[in-house]
Amino acid sequence: MSSLGRIAESVDHYNAHVAAEVARARTDKKFAAELRARWAKVQASVETTKSPTGTALPRLALPQTDEPGAIAEYLLGQGLPGEFPYANAAYREMYLDKGSSGEEPMRLFAGLGLAEDTNERFHYLSKNQKSLRLSTAFDGPTLYGMDSDAEGVLGKVGEGGVAIDTVEDMERLFAGFDLTRKDASVSMTMNAPAPVILAMFIAAAKRRFGADCVPNLRGTIQADMLKEVQAQNEVIFPIDASLRFLCDMIEWCVPNMPRWYPVSISGYHIAEAGATPVQQAAFTLSNGFTYAELLKARGCDVNEFGPRFSFFLDCGLDVEYLVLGRVCRSIWAIGMKEVFGANAKAQALKLHTQTSGRSLIAAEFQNNLTRTAVELMLAYMNYSNSCHSNSADEPFTTPTEKYALLASHGQSIIIEESGLFKHTMNLFGGAPGLLILERQVEKAILDVFREMDTLGGVLAAQEQRYQRSKIQEAGHNYEKQIYAHERPIIGLNKYISTEPMPSVPLARTSPKKQRLQVTRLKAFKKKNAAKAPEALQRLENVARHGGNVFDELVNTVEVCSLGQITGCLSHVVGKFRPMV
Amino acid sequence: MAAAKTSRASFATPLRILTAVPVCDGHDSAVTTINIELARHGLEVIYLGYHQAASAIVRAAIQEDANVVGISSYNGGHIVFFKEVVDQLKKSGNGDIPVFGGGGGTITHGDERLMKRQGTDRIFFAGTPLDDIMNLVKRDYARDAKPNAKFKGDRALARALTIAEENAMTVGGDYSKTSRPKAAPTVQKTGKAPGFVLGVAGPGGAGKSTLIDELTSRFLRSNPTGRIAILANDPSHPDTGGAILGDRVSAIYAQDDRVFFRSLATRGNLTGLSASAPAAIDILKKSGEFDLILVESVGVGQESDPFGIFGKAKKLVDASLFVLAPYYGGLIQLQKIALLNGADLVALNKCDHPMAHTARAEIQARLDQNGKDQMLYPTTAAKHFDPGVDHLFAAIATLAAKNS
């Protein structure tokens, strides 16, 4: 049995354990008394507040019961927010308006044009934020580890994200931001070349803030290669080598960057590529467990790397999204505890949620504001630790300023303006419908685990292209449902407007800017022409002889471009062979 | 098979479409759906994959003699990219191959106008019903593949293969009876050796395509100027007549002008190869272009003989390679595989599999029984620079040298 089978078993065992404890609470007087005493303590610890219209409210909504069975069911089955199995939340308090303390969950993804353009957008988006939370989208060539001067990519430079070729671009990208601030955090949606890009980020930060700034740097890099192979298709090196470079980076980050999340295990792209919510959750969690296995096999301590994992889910309009985050947290916690022997910090799943890009359409695109608002509501009901809300104009352009700002205001309206989250934590948890849905979704996820277990686990299933087939099949079904009018999409197949599409401004990168990026890159290469070959040779030696590649990359990026580095590594480990 | 027995008058040659996603773009969800639908509508879909350079798309369109190229673009830069594909097709004398595309909402109506002026034939927008897309593609991109004296180089060769495919269909799939309704143009270079033809067969999932691609990389490295041809046979759907020919996706070393890669759908022929394969091999040999010609069969079973190894007629290939994976189902199953008696070379692929050790001993014993000079090569084609593949390639090179 692969660890997936054992994890599915452990969740079943845990559920049986909860049921047994509920029964015991109802028969064992001593146990009942203990539970009541604990419950009284919990209830007493809850502060109260008042709504602006004068209604008194608790800061935490608890089931109104003193029946020991119900208490046991809540405390063991769901757990208080911040307690095992974390169904309610990873932390005890989230989203509450408590003055200046606490960071807002908003994290807006931005990237366009050249580094200075994205930098300008970052300044624009963060001007009203208390804390500094930046999230970077990279352009196609960067995501594929190619230089902007590579043959045939010029038209893609700065499209859909920012073009980064060198450490100098990275310096421009974050100019004017104090990245060493305690409440600063930088997220980067970067996978196959993640080790190179993170090394550039570190090098750029050192240039600005001094060599000792590294432990203070805080943020997340996606670096989830399994989901790339399964869904997103941005892979450069063969799978083994990709996983090795990733693990090298995680191993380096754990001691050297204590505030950094070196992997964000992502279901977003799996769902965008077509997966159902259940498949998204099943593949994402199982990928996470696979990383834990790989690192354990390298001799890393689960209690050290476990807390540094973060997760990233898509949130669409399908009903399962009402509970997806809750269910994922409890499966992750139980699996990490029971199968990997992880402690509390490594059990709590930290979740970033992005509203669904696929659910947005170009026709009557202002409707996308409503779609995104509903999805955001679901994301907050699942106590996502951070959220990105998509811009309504995304189906046809990199978000323009206007719609990016509306997307960010959507979050503020739900969290800050409405009274749904700021007074009381967990107003919505525990509704009968949610509990029914949670059980269904959990069971369906475990069924996928068991199926992959029979195939030999995640990596073996992946080799048989199980995940890809399932995702493609689900994507195909989704399209067929739309065309068959079984899945209504307003403006597309229902209540279709005959109005022509309004002309809207597009954020495109001009050819002049694209050429400027190439000019800069050539200047960088020329300047470092004497030093680059030696740096690449050192990197090649480390890669060839099994050393920690990340350790060396931190030096290589000082004088080499992204494309030079991926080319060098490809020379050693080969190229990824795509799967259909 | 219905398709093969029907005369050309009532059964049109399947339309061959090349689909791809542009360079630095991994969004393959839409193109995957379109591929499935196109095949369901009876088209032969040659899928090149995502993250494909304009030059790779053009090369594939030429070698496959595609009726049309469909590009699905979702992360911007489409104006430049589509123009590049169209321009390269024109510049290489293949401007007759139209290019259409789609990109959900990312390609605007304004973009469409500009792209059409620059030579893109059509853009499909989000919300276009799949059936409408299929009908338009079938209506506008069907063509009669005639010999064309203007075609040069690989396109001339590719067109000759297309005609061979059509000829094979007119005579119920039996090439030997072909009346050559349209003579396939010969693309012969005088004085050049015909090249060594290696047939590659094996059960589905054994890793034939990957192994062939790894052999291609060995060829390109060991032979700095020569060319290699690959004829990749894949089954047509028995009911729809369509096919998804996806071998190019994982053929990373085929992206080189020294590699001529052609996908052939079997179109109802059940021997393991397209009925046109004998003619196709002949055309490739006569061209004098290639030092090595690899012919990949569809996944074959116990009694198959796609290359005519056991028959009395002339063999289709100079030598054959049988590829299998360690999980063939035990000793008794192994005994039943006829090709193990006839193949010159046997590759036990996926040797990183736990059953490989046992499999190797069993297969060796099986070959020893034959008492022929057959060689077994353990390979792990999925591994970069696998020494087993190096050994296999050396053996092929030795056979080729003996042959010439």
Side-chain angles (χ1 to χ4, degrees), chain A residues 140-141 144 146 152 155-156 233 273 395-396 468 472 476 483 492 508 573-574 577-578, chain B residues 23-24 26 28-29 36-37 50-51 75-77 105-106 111 128 130 210 213-214 250 384:
Chain A
Y144 280 95
M146 295 168 85
K156 296 277 182 183
N233 302 328
F396 43 84
R468 286 185 76 82
Q472 285 172 3
H476 193 207
Y483 293 117
L492 188 72
R508 294 257 172 94
V573 300
R577 188 184 306 281
Chain B
V23 73
C24 301
D28 68 345
S29 175
I36 294 170
E37 288 296 319
Y50 47 83
H51 184 35
N75 74 350
T106 65
D111 295 342
T128 314
L130 282 171
T210 306
D213 194 43
E214 287 295 322
S250 49
H384 185 54

mmCIF file of all heavy atoms in Angstrom, chain A residues 140-141 144 146 152 155-156 233 273 395-396 468 472 476 483 492 508 573-574 577-578, chain B residues 23-24 26 28-29 36-37 50-51 75-77 105-106 111 128 130 210 213-214 250 384:
data_model
loop_
_atom_site.group_PDB
_atom_site.id
_atom_site.type_symbol
_atom_site.label_atom_id
_atom_site.label_comp_id
_atom_site.label_asym_id
_atom_site.label_seq_id
_atom_site.Cartn_x
_atom_site.Cartn_y
_atom_site.Cartn_z
ATOM 1 N N GLY A 140 5.252 34.311 -20.069
ATOM 2 C CA GLY A 140 5.489 32.953 -20.574
ATOM 3 C C GLY A 140 6.958 32.567 -20.658
ATOM 4 O O GLY A 140 7.364 31.518 -20.149
ATOM 5 N N PRO A 141 7.787 33.396 -21.298
ATOM 6 C CA PRO A 141 9.205 33.008 -21.391
ATOM 7 C C PRO A 141 9.846 32.777 -20.014
ATOM 8 O O PRO A 141 10.593 31.807 -19.843
ATOM 9 C CB PRO A 141 9.837 34.210 -22.116
ATOM 10 C CG PRO A 141 8.720 34.774 -22.944
ATOM 11 C CD PRO A 141 7.474 34.581 -22.119
ATOM 12 N N TYR A 144 8.819 29.480 -18.552
ATOM 13 C CA TYR A 144 9.457 28.336 -19.198
ATOM 14 C C TYR A 144 10.979 28.413 -19.124
ATOM 15 O O TYR A 144 11.680 27.662 -19.806
ATOM 16 C CB TYR A 144 8.998 28.230 -20.666
ATOM 17 C CG TYR A 144 7.639 27.572 -20.791
ATOM 18 C CD1 TYR A 144 6.482 28.323 -20.863
ATOM 19 C CD2 TYR A 144 7.523 26.181 -20.804
ATOM 20 C CE1 TYR A 144 5.233 27.720 -20.959
ATOM 21 C CE2 TYR A 144 6.293 25.565 -20.910
ATOM 22 C CZ TYR A 144 5.149 26.343 -20.983
ATOM 23 O OH TYR A 144 3.914 25.731 -21.074
ATOM 24 N N MET A 146 13.011 30.671 -20.166
ATOM 25 C CA MET A 146 13.676 31.139 -21.386
ATOM 26 C C MET A 146 14.025 32.617 -21.264
ATOM 27 O O MET A 146 13.303 33.385 -20.637
ATOM 28 C CB MET A 146 12.757 30.931 -22.592
ATOM 29 C CG MET A 146 12.480 29.468 -22.883
ATOM 30 S SD MET A 146 11.138 29.257 -24.066
ATOM 31 C CE MET A 146 12.023 29.404 -25.596
ATOM 32 N N GLY A 152 12.029 33.343 -31.259
ATOM 33 C CA GLY A 152 10.583 33.179 -31.394
ATOM 34 C C GLY A 152 9.731 33.545 -30.196
ATOM 35 O O GLY A 152 8.534 33.295 -30.212
ATOM 36 N N GLY A 155 7.247 38.146 -28.999
ATOM 37 C CA GLY A 155 5.845 38.556 -28.857
ATOM 38 C C GLY A 155 5.255 38.199 -27.509
ATOM 39 O O GLY A 155 4.225 38.725 -27.102
ATOM 40 N N LYS A 156 5.880 37.272 -26.806
ATOM 41 C CA LYS A 156 5.371 36.816 -25.506
ATOM 42 C C LYS A 156 5.995 37.582 -24.346
ATOM 43 O O LYS A 156 5.596 37.401 -23.197
ATOM 44 C CB LYS A 156 5.713 35.329 -25.323
ATOM 45 C CG LYS A 156 5.052 34.418 -26.332
ATOM 46 C CD LYS A 156 3.655 34.099 -25.903
ATOM 47 C CE LYS A 156 2.985 33.152 -26.874
ATOM 48 N NZ LYS A 156 1.599 32.902 -26.483
ATOM 49 N N ASN A 233 1.534 22.246 -17.258
ATOM 50 C CA ASN A 233 2.413 22.045 -18.429
ATOM 51 C C ASN A 233 3.594 22.989 -18.537
ATOM 52 O O ASN A 233 4.111 23.188 -19.624
ATOM 53 C CB ASN A 233 1.609 22.138 -19.728
ATOM 54 C CG ASN A 233 0.486 21.133 -19.776
ATOM 55 O OD1 ASN A 233 0.600 20.065 -19.229
ATOM 56 N ND2 ASN A 233 -0.594 21.488 -20.434
ATOM 57 N N ALA A 273 -7.631 23.646 -15.409
ATOM 58 C CA ALA A 273 -7.430 22.762 -16.557
ATOM 59 C C ALA A 273 -8.616 21.821 -16.742
ATOM 60 O O ALA A 273 -8.659 21.077 -17.713
ATOM 61 C CB ALA A 273 -6.144 21.964 -16.400
ATOM 62 N N PRO A 395 -10.891 37.752 -18.822
ATOM 63 C CA PRO A 395 -11.046 36.869 -19.987
ATOM 64 C C PRO A 395 -10.408 37.421 -21.256
ATOM 65 O O PRO A 395 -10.138 36.672 -22.180
ATOM 66 C CB PRO A 395 -12.568 36.766 -20.152
ATOM 67 C CG PRO A 395 -13.112 37.036 -18.807
ATOM 68 C CD PRO A 395 -12.178 38.036 -18.188
ATOM 69 N N PHE A 396 -10.187 38.735 -21.314
ATOM 70 C CA PHE A 396 -9.598 39.233 -22.558
ATOM 71 C C PHE A 396 -8.325 40.041 -22.375
ATOM 72 O O PHE A 396 -7.709 40.424 -23.359
ATOM 73 C CB PHE A 396 -10.629 40.036 -23.366
ATOM 74 C CG PHE A 396 -11.456 40.975 -22.544
ATOM 75 C CD1 PHE A 396 -10.987 42.228 -22.230
ATOM 76 C CD2 PHE A 396 -12.694 40.575 -22.075
ATOM 77 C CE1 PHE A 396 -11.752 43.093 -21.457
ATOM 78 C CE2 PHE A 396 -13.457 41.441 -21.297
ATOM 79 C CZ PHE A 396 -12.990 42.692 -20.989
ATOM 80 N N ARG A 468 -3.823 13.375 -15.445
ATOM 81 C CA ARG A 468 -4.076 14.120 -16.684
ATOM 82 C C ARG A 468 -5.356 13.643 -17.359
ATOM 83 O O ARG A 468 -6.158 14.441 -17.824
ATOM 84 C CB ARG A 468 -2.904 13.968 -17.661
ATOM 85 C CG ARG A 468 -1.684 14.745 -17.286
ATOM 86 C CD ARG A 468 -0.613 14.653 -18.360
ATOM 87 N NE ARG A 468 -0.904 15.479 -19.518
ATOM 88 C CZ ARG A 468 -0.648 16.784 -19.600
ATOM 89 N NH1 ARG A 468 -0.093 17.399 -18.576
ATOM 90 N NH2 ARG A 468 -0.940 17.463 -20.670
ATOM 91 N N GLN A 472 -8.572 15.991 -17.976
ATOM 92 C CA GLN A 472 -9.021 16.255 -19.347
ATOM 93 C C GLN A 472 -10.462 15.801 -19.554
ATOM 94 O O GLN A 472 -11.264 16.481 -20.195
ATOM 95 C CB GLN A 472 -8.105 15.547 -20.355
ATOM 96 C CG GLN A 472 -6.768 16.261 -20.494
ATOM 97 C CD GLN A 472 -5.757 15.486 -21.333
ATOM 98 O OE1 GLN A 472 -6.075 14.431 -21.867
ATOM 99 N NE2 GLN A 472 -4.558 16.014 -21.431
ATOM 100 N N HIS A 476 -13.513 18.240 -20.504
ATOM 101 C CA HIS A 476 -14.321 17.971 -21.687
ATOM 102 C C HIS A 476 -15.811 17.921 -21.313
ATOM 103 O O HIS A 476 -16.658 18.478 -22.009
ATOM 104 C CB HIS A 476 -13.861 16.656 -22.317
ATOM 105 C CG HIS A 476 -14.395 16.430 -23.695
ATOM 106 N ND1 HIS A 476 -14.571 15.180 -24.215
ATOM 107 C CD2 HIS A 476 -14.804 17.273 -24.652
ATOM 108 C CE1 HIS A 476 -15.074 15.274 -25.436
ATOM 109 N NE2 HIS A 476 -15.211 16.540 -25.727
ATOM 110 N N TYR A 483 -22.281 23.487 -23.724
ATOM 111 C CA TYR A 483 -22.891 23.477 -25.056
ATOM 112 C C TYR A 483 -24.271 22.811 -25.045
ATOM 113 O O TYR A 483 -25.127 23.142 -25.845
ATOM 114 C CB TYR A 483 -21.950 22.803 -26.068
ATOM 115 C CG TYR A 483 -20.707 23.615 -26.295
ATOM 116 C CD1 TYR A 483 -19.446 23.124 -25.970
ATOM 117 C CD2 TYR A 483 -20.791 24.920 -26.803
ATOM 118 C CE1 TYR A 483 -18.304 23.885 -26.159
ATOM 119 C CE2 TYR A 483 -19.664 25.686 -26.987
ATOM 120 C CZ TYR A 483 -18.423 25.167 -26.668
ATOM 121 O OH TYR A 483 -17.301 25.929 -26.847
ATOM 122 N N LEU A 492 -23.642 33.632 -21.821
ATOM 123 C CA LEU A 492 -22.961 32.749 -22.781
ATOM 124 C C LEU A 492 -23.944 31.771 -23.414
ATOM 125 O O LEU A 492 -24.031 31.656 -24.623
ATOM 126 C CB LEU A 492 -21.821 31.987 -22.087
ATOM 127 C CG LEU A 492 -20.922 31.176 -23.018
ATOM 128 C CD1 LEU A 492 -20.039 32.088 -23.850
ATOM 129 C CD2 LEU A 492 -20.042 30.218 -22.224
ATOM 130 N N ARG A 508 -1.594 45.634 -22.930
ATOM 131 C CA ARG A 508 -0.682 44.821 -23.750
ATOM 132 C C ARG A 508 0.696 45.449 -23.685
ATOM 133 O O ARG A 508 0.832 46.660 -23.486
ATOM 134 C CB ARG A 508 -1.166 44.794 -25.207
ATOM 135 C CG ARG A 508 -2.513 44.078 -25.396
ATOM 136 C CD ARG A 508 -2.332 42.694 -25.978
ATOM 137 N NE ARG A 508 -3.560 41.923 -26.002
ATOM 138 C CZ ARG A 508 -4.384 41.866 -27.047
ATOM 139 N NH1 ARG A 508 -4.135 42.562 -28.139
ATOM 140 N NH2 ARG A 508 -5.459 41.115 -26.991
ATOM 141 N N VAL A 573 20.828 17.377 -17.034
ATOM 142 C CA VAL A 573 19.752 16.439 -16.667
ATOM 143 C C VAL A 573 18.789 16.114 -17.804
ATOM 144 O O VAL A 573 17.950 15.226 -17.659
ATOM 145 C CB VAL A 573 18.933 16.968 -15.462
ATOM 146 C CG1 VAL A 573 19.827 17.164 -14.248
ATOM 147 C CG2 VAL A 573 18.193 18.261 -15.799
ATOM 148 N N GLY A 574 18.886 16.837 -18.906
ATOM 149 C CA GLY A 574 17.987 16.558 -20.028
ATOM 150 C C GLY A 574 16.739 17.416 -19.987
ATOM 151 O O GLY A 574 16.595 18.294 -19.150
ATOM 152 N N ARG A 577 9.985 15.348 -21.198
ATOM 153 C CA ARG A 577 9.248 14.818 -22.343
ATOM 154 C C ARG A 577 7.756 14.969 -22.041
ATOM 155 O O ARG A 577 7.229 14.309 -21.147
ATOM 156 C CB ARG A 577 9.590 13.348 -22.543
ATOM 157 C CG ARG A 577 9.023 12.769 -23.830
ATOM 158 C CD ARG A 577 9.309 11.281 -23.936
ATOM 159 N NE ARG A 577 10.725 10.969 -23.792
ATOM 160 C CZ ARG A 577 11.632 11.112 -24.746
ATOM 161 N NH1 ARG A 577 11.269 11.539 -25.908
ATOM 162 N NH2 ARG A 577 12.898 10.833 -24.534
ATOM 163 N N PRO A 578 7.072 15.862 -22.771
ATOM 164 C CA PRO A 578 5.669 16.140 -22.435
ATOM 165 C C PRO A 578 4.779 14.905 -22.596
ATOM 166 O O PRO A 578 5.090 13.992 -23.355
ATOM 167 C CB PRO A 578 5.260 17.209 -23.447
ATOM 168 C CG PRO A 578 6.510 17.736 -24.016
ATOM 169 C CD PRO A 578 7.520 16.641 -23.929
ATOM 170 N N VAL B 23 4.339 28.740 -28.305
ATOM 171 C CA VAL B 23 5.497 28.738 -27.411
ATOM 172 C C VAL B 23 5.164 29.481 -26.115
ATOM 173 O O VAL B 23 4.376 30.433 -26.116
ATOM 174 C CB VAL B 23 6.710 29.388 -28.134
ATOM 175 C CG1 VAL B 23 6.551 30.895 -28.267
ATOM 176 C CG2 VAL B 23 8.016 29.038 -27.470
ATOM 177 N N CYS B 24 5.705 29.001 -25.014
ATOM 178 C CA CYS B 24 5.520 29.610 -23.685
ATOM 179 C C CYS B 24 4.061 29.634 -23.245
ATOM 180 O O CYS B 24 3.659 30.484 -22.463
ATOM 181 C CB CYS B 24 6.086 31.021 -23.636
ATOM 182 S SG CYS B 24 7.832 31.098 -24.003
ATOM 183 N N GLY B 26 1.076 26.923 -21.883
ATOM 184 C CA GLY B 26 0.778 25.536 -21.512
ATOM 185 C C GLY B 26 -0.707 25.254 -21.418
ATOM 186 O O GLY B 26 -1.118 24.199 -20.966
ATOM 187 N N ASP B 28 -3.644 23.783 -22.346
ATOM 188 C CA ASP B 28 -4.047 22.779 -23.330
ATOM 189 C C ASP B 28 -5.449 22.243 -23.098
ATOM 190 O O ASP B 28 -5.856 21.289 -23.740
ATOM 191 C CB ASP B 28 -3.023 21.637 -23.381
ATOM 192 C CG ASP B 28 -3.012 20.809 -22.102
ATOM 193 O OD1 ASP B 28 -3.578 21.272 -21.092
ATOM 194 O OD2 ASP B 28 -2.439 19.712 -22.110
ATOM 195 N N SER B 29 -6.179 22.859 -22.178
ATOM 196 C CA SER B 29 -7.510 22.353 -21.870
ATOM 197 C C SER B 29 -8.441 22.506 -23.085
ATOM 198 O O SER B 29 -9.116 21.557 -23.482
ATOM 199 C CB SER B 29 -8.058 23.115 -20.659
ATOM 200 O OG SER B 29 -9.367 22.733 -20.413
ATOM 201 N N ILE B 36 -10.479 16.055 -29.251
ATOM 202 C CA ILE B 36 -11.402 14.929 -29.074
ATOM 203 C C ILE B 36 -12.595 15.085 -30.011
ATOM 204 O O ILE B 36 -13.023 14.141 -30.681
ATOM 205 C CB ILE B 36 -11.873 14.846 -27.601
ATOM 206 C CG1 ILE B 36 -10.688 14.497 -26.685
ATOM 207 C CG2 ILE B 36 -12.994 13.818 -27.435
ATOM 208 C CD1 ILE B 36 -10.989 14.632 -25.197
ATOM 209 N N GLU B 37 -13.117 16.309 -30.075
ATOM 210 C CA GLU B 37 -14.291 16.550 -30.922
ATOM 211 C C GLU B 37 -13.960 16.381 -32.410
ATOM 212 O O GLU B 37 -14.735 15.827 -33.169
ATOM 213 C CB GLU B 37 -14.849 17.957 -30.656
ATOM 214 C CG GLU B 37 -15.547 18.069 -29.318
ATOM 215 C CD GLU B 37 -16.789 17.176 -29.220
ATOM 216 O OE1 GLU B 37 -17.550 17.080 -30.193
ATOM 217 O OE2 GLU B 37 -16.969 16.551 -28.157
ATOM 218 N N TYR B 50 1.728 21.520 -26.454
ATOM 219 C CA TYR B 50 1.767 22.919 -25.999
ATOM 220 C C TYR B 50 3.213 23.418 -26.068
ATOM 221 O O TYR B 50 4.124 22.635 -26.323
ATOM 222 C CB TYR B 50 1.219 23.006 -24.571
ATOM 223 C CG TYR B 50 1.783 21.961 -23.650
ATOM 224 C CD1 TYR B 50 3.010 22.139 -23.035
ATOM 225 C CD2 TYR B 50 1.096 20.767 -23.418
ATOM 226 C CE1 TYR B 50 3.537 21.164 -22.209
ATOM 227 C CE2 TYR B 50 1.617 19.792 -22.603
ATOM 228 C CZ TYR B 50 2.845 19.995 -21.990
ATOM 229 O OH TYR B 50 3.374 19.034 -21.184
ATOM 230 N N HIS B 51 3.391 24.708 -25.842
ATOM 231 C CA HIS B 51 4.730 25.318 -25.811
ATOM 232 C C HIS B 51 5.496 24.971 -27.095
ATOM 233 O O HIS B 51 6.595 24.441 -27.053
ATOM 234 C CB HIS B 51 5.478 24.814 -24.563
ATOM 235 C CG HIS B 51 6.823 25.432 -24.342
ATOM 236 N ND1 HIS B 51 7.114 26.745 -24.642
ATOM 237 C CD2 HIS B 51 7.974 24.917 -23.846
ATOM 238 C CE1 HIS B 51 8.372 26.994 -24.340
ATOM 239 N NE2 HIS B 51 8.926 25.908 -23.854
ATOM 240 N N ASN B 75 -2.306 32.779 -23.662
ATOM 241 C CA ASN B 75 -1.622 33.744 -22.779
ATOM 242 C C ASN B 75 -0.949 34.897 -23.514
ATOM 243 O O ASN B 75 0.090 35.392 -23.112
ATOM 244 C CB ASN B 75 -0.690 33.046 -21.783
ATOM 245 C CG ASN B 75 0.572 32.535 -22.427
ATOM 246 O OD1 ASN B 75 0.683 32.531 -23.647
ATOM 247 N ND2 ASN B 75 1.534 32.123 -21.630
ATOM 248 N N GLY B 76 -1.607 35.360 -24.543
ATOM 249 C CA GLY B 76 -1.166 36.607 -25.162
ATOM 250 C C GLY B 76 -0.086 36.428 -26.210
ATOM 251 O O GLY B 76 0.406 35.333 -26.449
ATOM 252 N N GLY B 77 0.240 37.530 -26.856
ATOM 253 C CA GLY B 77 1.263 37.500 -27.895
ATOM 254 C C GLY B 77 0.787 36.843 -29.174
ATOM 255 O O GLY B 77 1.588 36.533 -30.050
ATOM 256 N N GLY B 105 -11.464 34.383 -24.659
ATOM 257 C CA GLY B 105 -11.626 35.831 -24.748
ATOM 258 C C GLY B 105 -10.330 36.579 -24.977
ATOM 259 O O GLY B 105 -10.337 37.793 -25.141
ATOM 260 N N THR B 106 -9.199 35.856 -24.986
ATOM 261 C CA THR B 106 -7.923 36.580 -25.045
ATOM 262 C C THR B 106 -7.675 37.204 -26.412
ATOM 263 O O THR B 106 -6.928 38.165 -26.531
ATOM 264 C CB THR B 106 -6.727 35.668 -24.688
ATOM 265 O OG1 THR B 106 -6.605 34.646 -25.688
ATOM 266 C CG2 THR B 106 -6.898 35.025 -23.331
ATOM 267 N N ASP B 111 -8.320 42.314 -32.517
ATOM 268 C CA ASP B 111 -7.153 41.488 -32.864
ATOM 269 C C ASP B 111 -7.454 40.654 -34.110
ATOM 270 O O ASP B 111 -6.615 40.497 -34.994
ATOM 271 C CB ASP B 111 -6.811 40.509 -31.735
ATOM 272 C CG ASP B 111 -6.364 41.210 -30.463
ATOM 273 O OD1 ASP B 111 -5.989 42.393 -30.546
ATOM 274 O OD2 ASP B 111 -6.400 40.563 -29.399
ATOM 275 N N THR B 128 -18.659 29.849 -29.274
ATOM 276 C CA THR B 128 -19.007 29.205 -30.540
ATOM 277 C C THR B 128 -19.291 27.733 -30.247
ATOM 278 O O THR B 128 -18.428 27.045 -29.703
ATOM 279 C CB THR B 128 -17.831 29.271 -31.540
ATOM 280 O OG1 THR B 128 -17.311 30.596 -31.532
ATOM 281 C CG2 THR B 128 -18.270 28.886 -32.939
ATOM 282 N N LEU B 130 -19.373 23.856 -30.295
ATOM 283 C CA LEU B 130 -18.381 22.929 -30.846
ATOM 284 C C LEU B 130 -18.813 22.398 -32.212
ATOM 285 O O LEU B 130 -17.993 22.268 -33.121
ATOM 286 C CB LEU B 130 -18.166 21.760 -29.883
ATOM 287 C CG LEU B 130 -17.287 22.053 -28.660
ATOM 288 C CD1 LEU B 130 -17.341 20.886 -27.682
ATOM 289 C CD2 LEU B 130 -15.855 22.328 -29.080
ATOM 290 N N THR B 210 8.716 6.639 -26.979
ATOM 291 C CA THR B 210 9.804 7.246 -26.213
ATOM 292 C C THR B 210 11.144 6.665 -26.649
ATOM 293 O O THR B 210 12.120 7.388 -26.840
ATOM 294 C CB THR B 210 9.581 6.995 -24.704
ATOM 295 O OG1 THR B 210 8.280 7.457 -24.362
ATOM 296 C CG2 THR B 210 10.606 7.725 -23.861
ATOM 297 N N ASP B 213 12.186 8.062 -29.899
ATOM 298 C CA ASP B 213 12.681 9.435 -29.756
ATOM 299 C C ASP B 213 14.101 9.445 -29.196
ATOM 300 O O ASP B 213 14.950 10.229 -29.624
ATOM 301 C CB ASP B 213 11.738 10.230 -28.856
ATOM 302 C CG ASP B 213 12.006 11.720 -28.960
ATOM 303 O OD1 ASP B 213 12.205 12.200 -30.092
ATOM 304 O OD2 ASP B 213 12.025 12.401 -27.925
ATOM 305 N N GLU B 214 14.365 8.557 -28.260
ATOM 306 C CA GLU B 214 15.720 8.479 -27.706
ATOM 307 C C GLU B 214 16.709 7.975 -28.771
ATOM 308 O O GLU B 214 17.847 8.432 -28.835
ATOM 309 C CB GLU B 214 15.743 7.574 -26.467
ATOM 310 C CG GLU B 214 15.104 8.207 -25.234
ATOM 311 C CD GLU B 214 15.860 9.443 -24.735
ATOM 312 O OE1 GLU B 214 17.110 9.447 -24.770
ATOM 313 O OE2 GLU B 214 15.200 10.421 -24.318
ATOM 314 N N SER B 250 5.399 13.824 -27.542
ATOM 315 C CA SER B 250 6.514 13.404 -26.698
ATOM 316 C C SER B 250 7.800 13.190 -27.496
ATOM 317 O O SER B 250 8.815 12.792 -26.947
ATOM 318 C CB SER B 250 6.141 12.134 -25.927
ATOM 319 O OG SER B 250 5.611 11.185 -26.800
ATOM 320 N N HIS B 384 17.123 9.981 -18.877
ATOM 321 C CA HIS B 384 17.983 10.780 -19.742
ATOM 322 C C HIS B 384 19.326 10.081 -19.944
ATOM 323 O O HIS B 384 19.959 9.656 -18.980
ATOM 324 C CB HIS B 384 18.176 12.139 -19.070
ATOM 325 C CG HIS B 384 18.944 13.114 -19.894
ATOM 326 N ND1 HIS B 384 18.598 13.438 -21.182
ATOM 327 C CD2 HIS B 384 20.037 13.844 -19.605
ATOM 328 C CE1 HIS B 384 19.442 14.328 -21.649
ATOM 329 N NE2 HIS B 384 20.336 14.596 -20.716
#
